[in-house]
Amino acid sequence: MSTSLAIETKDLGRIYKLRGSKKETRKELVALQDVNLTVERGELFGLLGPNGAGKTTLIKVLTTLLSPTSGWARVAGADVHAEPDLVRPRINMVSGGESSGYGLLTVRENLWMFSQFYGVPSKEANERIEALLEMVGMKDRIHTKSSDLSTGLRQKMNIVRGFLTDPEVLFLDEPTLGLDVGASRDVRKFIIEWLKADKERTLLLTTHYMVEADELCDRVAIINKGRVLACDTPSALKHRLQKDVLFEIQVSPLNGLNQQMLVDQPEVTKAAITETETGAKLSLGLVEESALARVINLFTQRDVKVMNLNKREPTLEDVFVDLVGRSMAEEESNERS
Amino acid sequence: MAAWLGWVIESNWTDPFLFAVYSIVKPISGAAILVVMYGIVTQGNFDSALFPYIYLGNAFYIYVGAVMTGVSWAVVDDREHYKTLKYMYIAPIYIPLYLLGRGVARFITGSIAVFITLAAGILFLNVKINFAEVDWLLFFVTLILGVVMLALLGLLLAGITLTVARHEGFIGEATAGALYIFSGAVFPLDVLPEWIRPVGYFMPTTYWLELLRRSLVGNVAQAFPTLANFSNLEILGILLGLSLFFGAVSIWVFKVCDARARELGLIDRTTNY
Ligand SMILES: Nc1ncnc2c1ncn2[C@@H]1O[C@H](COP(=O)(O)OP(=O)(O)O)[C@@H](O)[C@H]1O
Ligand SMILES: [Mg+2]
């Protein structure tokens, strides 16, 4: 078994048994299915997918919190299910969008306590705490009780907790969820600096922000309904679509025009519709630019007016649409209904 | 160290005053209620040997609520309240040791309540303890052994708490309540119907309370027939044996529950309570 890999999964699956109120209503929910991933040491690896895709479930399995129901996974060279004691000293994890911590302890005490669980010498722990807090711009809060912190700062403290123990493999589950624009930028910058400082450090993050995955990650796995649909560098993923010409069109209400009608056009390779206040926003992939005329024609027949039209470079969102046939937002609202 | 961390966490209430009230005033007022009830039922016969029996049993029983229930509550607290349990879990520590550390911290707060309760009993309520006759060695050996035993029982409950979906806070309280009845805390086991007494004989808490009472007020305790045939050393032996037995069971149960919690994904589950 190769130990040079930071993360390796083989046919990994996780099924949740849902408890209905009656026996007959018991159902199974497939949260992960046949996940095969390898992450090299030193990589910044992204899991991109809509809410409910299975990202958190995968992180829980990889961090020894949850047993897989099929397949296996190795992290830092050890099996997460059979050898959690070998995995745990080498990893750490942060979940975004939640505020954890002991409220009456100060920021420093909270962080110091966790560092002790990892056996970081006390003096070194304190130095690291100061340096890390400095880096995320909250050194002035070191003696604040964590209950007195804003949600955003508490989340930053939690992120520092993850980095503090200098893990070989760090898992960040939606690290910028719920943070404002400035704080998100701080965190992203920090992530990159931390990785740069040591070539052996590996970081896996999940996100449902396309830009975040694109901007940060060396490689991205696109995940939906528990399956990994594609896994490559962001540019390679986008490159797959390069043959298409992409248009973003803002239109007045659709008057019955639907996604199927658009896709039925031979020149339309894909179409995603997002309803807006004034009408709809269409994302279209066309085989060639001249095909645009026929799409506009379709609008005219239904009295749909074009308000804005943009030709643009493909994004990871387009990759998702290409793989799934719908946008992430559509996939999420579909999930809920 | 673990105890200090546990202590800071334990006292980590939004309001330290509330914390003091909860951990000290509550057990003392419990004792006061008991005294009043005793007074009414026996028409003020505080000279009976039954009174110190009840009073001491009740006072030391505070440790059960503090240590045993406390250890199992730590799971609920960390999981639901502070949302730190999963981070503890993925850390390279042996979780049972951490939980036992929390128990040690509860032992310290519990001791304050026990001390105050005893002092109040001696000063105001005519609980007679002849300090010259106290067997201090027996007392402290029993006390420490008992606290370890309670912390291990707490670990057992913590394991169960980990795997239970709802009413998890209830488990510790309910067990403490049941032990109160079956351990001869406030009445001798002989009062119970015969068929149910074996439950009490199987509980280490029964022997623990008996020994504490004997070490403090030797002859009073002997006035009750339940364990009169056993010498102090024999009871200590039984207590040690049962503690070892329950300790082993607890560690095993915790291990099983721990694996089950990982299977079901319960380690970071939160209810909306
Ligand atoms: N403890 C659980 N019990 C049952 N179903 C769960 C549990 N946790 C997550 N799920 C379900 O599994 C799927 C994947 O969830 P999750 O891994 O949280 O997705 P993501 O993090 O990508 O949003 C969702 O449909 C979710 O409802
Ligand atoms: Mg998630």
Side-chain angles (χ1 to χ4, degrees):
Chain A
M1 198 79 36
S2 163
T3 49
S4 74
L5 290 173
I7 301 168
E8 186 182 9
T9 73
K10 176 77 179 149
D11 299 333
L12 191 68
R14 171 68 209 196
I15 294 170
Y16 287 113
K17 292 206 167 49
L18 300 179
R19 277 187 231 170
S21 43
K22 294 183 208 122
K23 275 233 163 75
E24 315 88 73
T25 60
R26 279 190 191 185
K27 275 193 295 192
E28 292 193 335
L29 191 146
V30 181
L32 288 178
Q33 199 173 356
D34 296 330
V35 174
N36 291 293
L37 288 175
T38 54
V39 178
E40 303 277 344
R41 282 184 195 268
E43 264 193 299
L44 203 181
F45 191 90
L47 282 174
L48 175 68
N51 279 323
K55 305 183 295 296
T56 300
T57 303
L58 180 53
I59 286 212
K60 284 203 230 171
V61 171
L62 295 177
T63 53
T64 77
L65 279 176
L66 184 68
S67 303
T69 43
S70 57
W72 52 258
R74 298 178 76 83
V75 170
D79 187 290
V80 292
H81 180 63
E83 310 164 310
D85 295 340
L86 294 181
V87 175
R88 287 173 185 163
R90 294 151 179 254
I91 62 165
N92 208 335
M93 186 259 287
V94 178
S95 315
E98 62 159 42
S99 45
S100 65
Y102 298 102
L104 209 75
L105 300 189
T106 65
V107 171
R108 194 190 70 82
E109 287 164 342
N110 260 295
L111 292 170
W112 180 83
M113 190 181 84
F114 274 98
S115 75
Q116 294 313 294
F117 292 149
Y118 290 79
V120 182
S122 187
K123 185 163 163 282
E124 193 180 336
N126 281 320
E127 286 165 7
R128 281 193 209 170
I129 289 167
E130 287 187 21
L132 290 168
L133 288 175
E134 177 88 66
M135 282 173 88
V136 298
M138 57 180 290
K139 178 134 179 259
D140 52 329
R141 300 307 190 90
I142 190 163
H143 297 301
T144 308
K145 277 184 196 168
S146 71
S147 58
D148 294 341
L149 295 175
S150 67
T151 331
L153 284 178
R154 232 193 279 187
Q155 196 165 328
K156 274 190 180 175
M157 176 184 89
N158 197 15
I159 289 173
V160 167
R161 182 190 51 70
F163 287 90
L164 179 61
T165 62
D166 198 11
E168 284 175 36
V169 187
L170 177 60
F171 297 87
L172 301 178
D173 194 5
E174 314 239 8
T176 60
L177 186 71
L179 291 182
D180 63 39
V181 184
S184 298
R185 198 177 21 187
D186 288 352
V187 168
R188 283 199 285 268
K189 203 174 111 221
F190 176 64
I191 288 173
I192 290 174
E193 280 172 21
W194 183 77
L195 277 172
K196 243 194 278 170
D198 185 343
K199 287 274 172 293
E200 287 289 293
R201 288 171 173 168
T202 310
L203 196 147
L204 182 144
L205 69 81
T206 77
T207 180
H208 65 273
Y209 303 126
M210 299 288 174
V211 186
E212 195 164 285
D214 202 345
E215 208 178 274
L216 281 178
C217 300
D218 298 324
R219 282 195 306 145
V220 172
I222 293 179
I223 176 170
N224 191 43
K225 296 204 165 94
R227 286 175 173 278
V228 172
L229 303 176
C231 176
D232 215 327
T233 62
S235 63
L237 286 169
K238 287 183 288 188
H239 209 74
R240 300 177 168 196
L241 308 171
Q242 211 74 83
K243 50 192 185 304
D244 294 353
V245 194
L246 299 175
F247 286 99
E248 196 108 291
I249 311 173
Q250 192 81 43
V251 295
S252 64
L254 288 171
N255 296 332
L257 185 74
N258 62 29
Q259 196 229 9
Q260 196 56 48
M261 292 175 187
L262 290 166
V263 180
D264 282 346
Q265 301 294 310
E267 300 91 348
V268 177
T269 52
K270 59 184 174 296
I273 301 179
T274 323
E275 305 268 341
T276 64
E277 266 173 35
T278 52
K281 199 180 84 184
L282 309 182
S283 264
L284 298 182
L286 306 177
V287 287
E288 53 182 22
E289 201 156 329
S290 61
L292 188 61
R294 267 176 294 266
V295 175
I296 305 280
N297 203 12
L298 209 63
F299 293 164
T300 324
Q301 284 166 20
R302 302 222 160 220
D303 202 23
V304 176
K305 294 201 172 52
V306 173
M307 283 154 14
N308 195 337
L309 188 147
N310 265 320
K311 187 180 164 192
R312 59 174 182 78
E313 292 301 307
T315 64
L316 287 179
E317 174 85 45
D318 302 309
V319 179
F320 187 88
V321 173
D322 185 52
L323 289 165
V324 177
R326 286 187 290 194
S327 72
M328 289 224 314
E330 282 176 289
E331 194 62 19
E332 282 177 15
S333 58
N334 190 269
E335 191 77 4
R336 250 171 261 136
S337 59
Chain B
M1 172 67 178
W4 180 79
L5 292 173
W7 158 262
V8 188
I9 293 167
E10 280 305 332
S11 55
N12 174 28
W13 290 49
T14 38
D15 185 348
F17 175 72
L18 253 179
F19 174 69
V21 169
Y22 187 83
S23 56
I24 295 168
V25 178
K26 194 183 143 200
I28 293 172
S29 58
I33 292 168
L34 194 74
V35 169
V36 171
M37 274 167 43
Y38 175 87
I40 293 169
V41 172
T42 64
Q43 291 163 354
N45 182 9
F46 288 100
D47 290 330
S48 155
L50 188 61
F51 181 62
Y53 181 98
I54 289 180
Y55 198 87
L56 293 177
N58 182 69
F60 287 105
Y61 202 80
I62 291 170
Y63 280 126
V64 177
V67 178
M68 186 189 77
T69 312
V71 168
S72 68
W73 249 105
V75 168
V76 184
D77 257 0
D78 278 5
R79 181 161 64 182
E80 306 259 355
H81 190 172
Y82 307 122
K83 307 214 169 28
T84 46
L85 187 66
K86 63 177 167 186
Y87 298 129
M88 297 289 178
Y89 225 89
I90 63 163
I93 51 167
Y94 184 52
I95 293 285
L97 268 188
Y98 163 71
L99 290 174
L100 294 178
R102 296 279 296 259
V104 173
R106 294 290 296 244
F107 166 69
I108 296 166
T109 34
S111 294
I112 300 172
V114 171
F115 181 79
I116 296 176
T117 308
L118 287 179
I122 293 163
L123 293 177
F124 308 117
L125 295 167
N126 210 17
V127 176
K128 292 188 200 81
I129 295 179
N130 184 347
F131 286 99
E133 283 174 21
V134 171
D135 186 341
W136 289 112
L137 180 65
L138 182 64
F139 176 77
F140 282 110
V141 167
T142 308
L143 186 66
I144 298 305
L145 180 58
V147 168
V148 172
M149 176 265 296
L150 288 174
L152 285 167
L153 283 182
L155 188 63
L156 192 155
L157 298 182
I160 297 170
T161 302
L162 203 55
T163 56
V164 164
R166 260 181 284 270
H167 312 303
E168 59 215 327
F170 180 68
I171 293 170
E173 308 275 339
T175 312
L179 280 181
Y180 195 60
I181 296 170
F182 290 116
S183 306
V186 287
F187 51 80
L189 275 182
D190 311 74
V191 173
L192 292 173
E194 198 162 346
W195 57 271
I196 211 161
R197 278 180 225 162
V199 178
Y201 290 129
F202 194 54
M203 292 296 127
T205 39
T206 306
Y207 304 93
W208 180 60
L209 291 174
E210 175 74 12
L211 269 189
L212 286 173
R213 277 189 288 247
R214 284 195 188 184
S215 65
L216 291 178
V217 282
N219 37 7
V220 170
Q222 273 157 27
F224 294 91
T226 318
L227 299 168
N229 292 333
F230 295 97
S231 71
N232 289 353
L233 218 55
E234 281 168 340
I235 295 185
L236 192 62
I238 297 172
L239 174 60
L240 187 66
L242 282 176
S243 299
L244 286 174
F245 170 75
F246 275 98
V249 168
S250 295
I251 288 168
W252 178 76
V253 166
F254 190 88
K255 207 175 147 190
V256 170
C257 290
D258 173 284
R260 194 171 153 70
R262 275 178 78 196
E263 243 145 57
L264 299 178
L266 295 173
I267 289 156
D268 63 342
R269 184 195 51 81
T270 49
T271 53
N272 322 311
Y273 93 102

